[in-house]
C-alpha cells in the first residue's frame, strides 16, 4: 500500500462526509500494522460539539474491529488544500500510532508526510499515568 493508494481510499471516504453545517468534507484512511485499511469521514450534528472528525471515525472503526496499531493515516478534504488534523485527533492518533506517518493529500495530487512526533511533540500518553 503506497501513499497514493491510501490517499485514494481517503478521497473515496470523503464523499460520504455528513457536513450540512460546515460543508467541509474530510476523508481519512488508516493503514494497520497487519496491512488492513479502514476509512472514515466527518459526521456533523446539529449540536455542533457532537460532531466527529474523519480521522477519529476511521480510527474508532478500526479499533472497534480489533485493530490497535497503525502505520499510517492519510487525510484529504474538500478544500483541495492540505488539511492538518485537529488537536483532539492528534491525541487520538498518538494513542494508536506512536511512530507512524501522517500523509496529507491535496487536490493537485501532491502530498506531505509527517511523523507522529512532529505533529504532537511532548505527547501525553499512557506512560504518564502512574
Ligand atoms: O482534520 C480535520 C479538520 C476538520 N474536520 C471536520 C470537523 C468538522 O466537521 C469540519 C469543520 O471543522 O471538518 C475533520 O474531520 N478533520
Ligand atoms: Zn479532528
Amino acid at each position: 500500500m503506497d501513499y497514493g493508494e491510501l490517499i485514494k481510499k481517503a478521497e473515496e471516504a470523503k464523499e460520504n462526509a455528513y457536513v450540512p453545517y460546515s460543508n467541509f468534507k474530510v476523508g481519512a484512511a488508516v493503514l494497520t500494522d497487519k496491512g488492513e485499511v479502514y476509512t472514515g469521514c466527518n459526521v456533523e450534528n446539529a449540536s455542533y460539539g457532537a460532531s466527529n472528525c474523519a480521522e477519529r471515525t476511521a480510527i474508532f472503526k478500526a479499533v472497534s474491529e480489533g485493530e490497535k496499531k497503525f502505520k499510517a493515516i492519510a487525510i484529504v478534504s474538500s478544500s483541495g488544500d492540505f488539511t492538518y488534523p485537529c488537536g483532539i485527533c492528534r491525541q487520538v492518533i498518538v494513542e494508536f500510532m506512536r511512530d507512524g506517518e501522517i500523509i496529507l493529500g491535496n487536490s493537485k495530487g501532491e502530498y506531505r508526510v509527517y511523523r507522529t512526533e512532529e505533529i504532537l511533540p511532548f505527547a501525553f500518553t499512557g506512560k504518564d499515568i502512574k
Side-chain angles (χ1 to χ4, degrees), residues 52-53 56 60 85-94 120:
N52 205 55
C53 294
R56 279 176 291 143
F60 294 158
C86 79
I88 296 172
C89 289
R90 291 178 196 212
Q91 184 69 30
V92 172
I93 289 168
V94 166
L120 191 61

Side-chain angles (χ1 to χ4, degrees), residues 6 29-33 59 68-75 89-103 114-117 119-120 123 125:
L6 203 59
V30 282
L31 176 65
T32 73
D33 58 344
I59 291 170
K68 288 184 184 61
K69 281 196 174 149
F70 307 127
K71 294 202 283 200
I73 181 167
I75 305 160
C89 289
R90 291 178 196 212
Q91 184 69 30
V92 172
I93 289 168
V94 166
E95 184 77 21
F96 301 103
M97 196 172 80
R98 290 294 150 77
D99 182 29
E101 292 176 319
I102 295 90
I103 303 150
Y114 299 90
R115 297 215 68 93
T116 308
E117 178 71 21
I119 65 154
L120 191 61
T125 69

